[in-house]
Amino acid sequence: MDEREMMGVIESILFVSGDPVNVKDIAQVLELDVRIVRKLMNKMCDCFNFERRGLQIVAVNDTYQLATRPEHGEYVEKYIGRERVQSLSQASLETLAVIAYKQPVTKAEIEEIRGVKCDYVINTLVNRGFIHEVARMDTPGRPILYGTTDHFLRSFGLASLKELPPLKSE
Amino acid sequence: MSYLVKLQHFEGPLDLLLHLISKAKVQIEDISITEITNQYLDTLTMMEQFDIEVASEFLVMAATLLHIKSCILVPKAKQEFEGDQEDTDPRQELITRLLEYKKFKETGNKLKDREAYFSRSYYKLPEEIISMDKKEIIPTDLDIASLQEAFLNLLNADRNKNRKKIQLVHEIKRDPVTVNEKVNQLKEYFLIHSQTTFFQMFNKNYDRDDIIVTFLALLELLIDNFLDVYQNHPFGDIVIKRRA
């Protein structure tokens, strides 16, 4: 099997899956080393971008997923007659920022930074799949420690947490 | 007529403080507690005037500001030991918090732009692939008649349900015999007869209404001490005797 054929197989798998596919699963199917697959995937992503195809491969935390390009969003939305979804509120964004940079973090710590109660916002973010419970803190009351999800990374165009913009004020 | 005034919405006391500081065009590090406290309290008063419920967090911050202000005003007790002489600025904690909050607020806005852009990317659902591992169970004892029967049962069940639904108007019929009429009938009956049993009183074509009316009439006559009633065993026929 040459490289082009492997890429073809991977593209088929990504199409059928719809959901993000872990690099390990691809490696297993192709009977290849994970590192080789990772390289192949990088090449594929570049290839898709270079050819300016309608689909792109979204890489998040060692998983890959086919998606339409955001720059074509306008036309896709026109076709499906979808109105722009309401963007996140100021409160949600602030809370999400605190969680993204401080994770794992408890509700109390978030409230300390924001200076307001955050129960409702945290609930909203959990329901929208941006954050989830990652562990419990080993202190009295065993408070929930929150962290961001892969869905968060995908929605914000980040391949991993390392790609978060630096936290600083102008 | 009341006026509606739209005030800027603040996410919390820190947000409000940042707003006041930026309006005063000073650096966070250089804030004057006196000024900022006055402005902060003025804003709270204004919010109350405009009927906005001031969240408790805002009040906590007001107390904190006043506390810092008092710390600045009250002359410090002289430190006895030179080693302990940390000259801490009472504003320091607040300044640190404000700087920290500002970082997250601004980063949140940066994230907003990213989300607005990347949310216009669309994904597809996984292909539905019907698993071939499990064999489909095909019942063997089926014929076209049982299918028809099943279908008709379903239809009838549906029709009955619909019929019940259609019957919106229910006519309440007048009782053919009222309790009072029955009481009089029974009195006449016992002028002639001295004893009978409950079920002997009905002809062949009695219905539930008859039984109820007769029973109620019987109870009326019992209250009037007109009759004596007893049962030989539970659920047995009721023996009815005229009182002597």
Side-chain angles (χ1 to χ4, degrees):
Chain A
M1 209 193 277
D2 66 3
E3 207 172 64
R4 274 209 89 84
E5 205 178 342
M6 286 183 210
M7 287 188 185
V9 170
I10 294 169
E11 194 175 341
S12 310
I13 293 171
L14 294 185
F15 171 79
V16 169
S17 166
D19 286 338
V21 181
N22 196 287
V23 69
K24 282 185 208 138
D25 296 328
I26 300 172
Q28 209 190 349
V29 172
L30 289 174
E31 292 171 8
L32 287 171
D33 191 80
V34 170
R35 276 164 297 177
I36 295 172
V37 176
R38 239 180 243 135
K39 259 187 213 158
L40 206 57
M41 291 312 302
N42 280 339
K43 212 167 170 179
M44 261 181 94
C45 293
D46 291 345
C47 199
F48 270 57
N49 293 339
F50 182 74
E51 290 173 13
R52 299 179 59 199
R53 292 169 58 165
L55 293 178
Q56 58 169 345
I57 296 173
V58 176
V60 167
N61 277 343
D62 249 1
T63 67
Y64 300 92
Q65 186 176 19
L66 283 180
T68 67
R69 282 186 194 282
E71 51 263 49
H72 299 155
E74 193 189 329
Y75 302 98
V76 176
E77 282 149 20
K78 197 167 153 190
Y79 169 68
I80 57 178
R82 175 200 198 228
E83 285 181 29
R84 297 283 297 127
V85 273
Q86 208 191 349
S87 59
L88 290 159
S89 67
Q90 187 67 36
S92 295
L93 286 163
E94 271 178 34
T95 311
L96 204 50
V98 175
I99 296 170
Y101 289 90
K102 291 266 176 183
Q103 62 185 310
V105 65
T106 62
K107 182 166 77 80
E109 290 169 303
I110 302 165
E111 287 174 346
E112 174 65 25
I113 293 174
R114 292 195 58 223
V116 279
K117 284 260 166 217
C118 297
D119 304 71
Y120 178 76
V121 193
I122 287 175
N123 261 334
T124 313
L125 291 173
V126 170
N127 287 338
R128 289 190 65 170
F130 288 128
I131 59 167
H132 62 160
E133 175 184 337
V134 285
R136 295 265 182 169
M137 205 181 212
D138 213 7
T139 54
R142 302 192 27 84
I144 299 173
L145 286 162
Y146 292 98
T148 51
T149 61
D150 281 356
H151 174 67
F152 161 77
L153 293 175
R154 225 168 282 129
S155 309
F156 287 82
L158 303 164
S160 69
L161 286 174
K162 286 177 207 144
E163 289 192 2
L164 276 172
L167 180 67
K168 60 164 188 244
S169 60
E170 271 96 57
Chain B
M1 157 120 195
S2 57
Y3 292 93
L4 285 179
V5 181
K6 205 173 153 90
L7 276 184
Q8 198 180 335
H9 172 75
F10 297 106
E11 286 304 328
L14 293 171
D15 199 21
L16 172 54
L17 280 177
L18 283 184
H19 170 76
L20 294 174
I21 292 164
S22 79
K23 228 170 63 173
K25 290 186 179 135
V26 288
Q27 294 290 308
I28 293 176
E29 292 86 344
D30 305 329
I31 48 167
S32 145
I33 286 294
T34 319
E35 249 173 68
I36 209 83
T37 306
N38 289 342
Q39 287 176 16
Y40 185 88
L41 293 176
D42 284 349
T43 314
L44 289 201
T45 321
M46 205 159 74
M47 282 161 94
E48 269 167 356
Q49 272 172 7
F50 289 132
D51 229 9
I52 299 168
E53 211 182 316
V54 176
S56 56
E57 292 98 354
F58 285 94
L59 302 177
V60 173
M61 180 55 75
T64 310
L65 286 171
L66 290 171
H67 175 74
I68 296 170
K69 195 176 161 186
S70 65
C71 283
I72 295 168
L73 292 177
V74 173
K76 267 179 229 144
K78 274 199 177 161
Q79 298 282 338
E80 299 252 338
F81 307 102
E82 274 189 20
D84 267 359
Q85 220 170 28
E86 295 173 72
D87 198 17
T88 47
D89 185 347
R91 302 176 311 164
Q92 197 48 54
E93 200 192 320
L94 181 68
I95 289 170
T96 314
R97 277 190 74 186
L98 280 170
L99 286 172
E100 178 91 341
Y101 174 72
K102 190 164 177 255
K103 271 195 300 195
F104 285 106
K105 193 188 158 177
E106 284 170 2
T107 312
N109 285 332
K110 261 185 249 164
L111 288 177
K112 184 185 188 167
D113 298 338
R114 290 191 78 94
E115 203 261 345
Y117 179 73
F118 287 100
S119 69
R120 306 187 90 175
S121 195
Y122 293 88
Y123 302 85
K124 73 180 262 299
L125 287 171
E127 289 299 313
E128 188 187 38
I129 291 160
I130 290 131
S131 164
M132 291 299 171
D133 305 341
K134 291 170 206 149
K135 276 187 188 152
E136 248 180 280
I137 301 157
I138 302 163
T140 47
D141 54 343
L142 283 179
D143 53 17
I144 198 79
S146 49
L147 187 66
Q148 190 197 16
E149 196 190 337
F151 181 65
L152 286 176
N153 283 343
L154 196 67
L155 266 187
N156 283 335
D158 197 43
R159 200 170 290 159
N160 286 339
K161 220 195 275 171
N162 283 338
R163 194 171 294 153
K164 267 179 204 162
K165 271 186 207 158
I166 289 162
Q167 227 174 38
L168 286 175
V169 182
H170 178 78
E171 195 185 342
I172 301 168
K173 284 186 189 133
R174 193 177 256 279
D175 293 335
V177 183
T178 66
V179 177
N180 271 340
E181 283 166 7
K182 197 76 192 174
V183 167
N184 290 333
Q185 278 180 25
L186 284 177
K187 277 183 178 168
E188 279 173 29
Y189 180 89
F190 281 103
L191 285 178
I192 307 158
H193 306 268
S194 63
Q195 182 178 339
T196 184
T197 71
F198 190 68
F199 286 109
Q200 272 174 8
M201 292 195 299
F202 301 104
N203 14 332
K204 274 178 193 161
N205 303 322
Y206 66 91
D207 61 10
R208 198 169 51 173
D209 288 349
D210 275 340
I211 301 177
I212 295 169
V213 171
T214 310
F215 188 74
L216 289 174
L218 211 59
L219 293 177
E220 289 287 331
L221 290 170
L222 272 177
I223 294 169
D224 295 344
N225 283 328
F226 189 75
L227 296 171
D228 267 333
V229 166
Y230 64 89
Q231 250 173 326
N232 286 323
H233 53 89
F235 304 110
D237 206 352
I238 305 164
V239 180
I240 307 161
K241 267 187 187 170
R242 187 182 61 201
R243 277 212 169 177

